[in-house]
Amino acid sequence: QLQLVESGGGLVQPGGSLRLSCAASRSIFSINYMGWSRQAPGKQRELVALITNGGLINYADSVKGRFTISRDNAKNAVYLQMNGLKPEDTALYYCTAKIDISDYWGQGTQVTVSS
């Protein structure tokens, strides 16, 4: 069973930066799809960024040019560098992994962008 634990969220002013980390409970070497999703109050969960083992990356249009996803298979970790944060980025951010037909999620880390 895979467990994912997110960290790095917090309160930041507009224009600021945060780096989210996701620690997996076991090796992610064989997990092709890993990513970050977010859910704001009253809104549906949306996929923010996705990275494959081969290095293919996709971003939601709303974060392109501001967010950068990366993974370190040796550390069983996935990261999300968020720059130029906007109030509309405020949400609970989840680390996610897809293994075969199963999806795994962490408990989330809160990101609040406010002055």
Side-chain angles (χ1 to χ4, degrees):
Q1 187 75 5
L2 175 68
Q3 292 184 331
L4 303 170
V5 179
E6 304 93 337
S7 62
L11 174 64
V12 64
Q13 292 187 341
S17 298
L18 283 174
R19 186 185 191 225
L20 304 184
S21 298
C22 171
S25 60
R26 66 164 179 80
S27 173
I28 64 170
F29 181 80
S30 63
I31 301 175
N32 194 20
Y33 297 100
M34 297 205 69
W36 291 91
S37 296
R38 66 186 181 187
Q39 187 166 19
K43 294 187 177 181
Q44 288 189 332
R45 189 176 297 190
E46 64 167 339
L47 182 64
V48 172
L50 185 69
I51 184 169
T52 71
N53 236 340
L56 293 178
I57 293 174
N58 275 315
Y59 296 104
D61 287 342
S62 57
V63 307
K64 281 181 181 176
R66 300 188 297 123
F67 290 11
T68 302
I69 189 172
S70 60
R71 63 190 288 172
D72 187 336
N73 289 346
K75 295 183 178 180
N76 301 329
V78 181
Y79 307 99
L80 186 67
Q81 177 67 43
M82 305 186 295
N83 299 328
L85 283 162
K86 304 175 181 180
E88 51 263 44
D89 293 318
T90 294
L92 190 60
Y93 283 72
Y94 298 91
C95 179
T96 182
K98 188 172 185 67
I99 302 174
D100 296 327
I101 62 170
S102 299
D103 292 316
Y104 295 85
W105 306 87
Q107 293 297 308
T109 185
Q110 179 67 38
V111 172
T112 302
V113 185
S114 175
S115 56

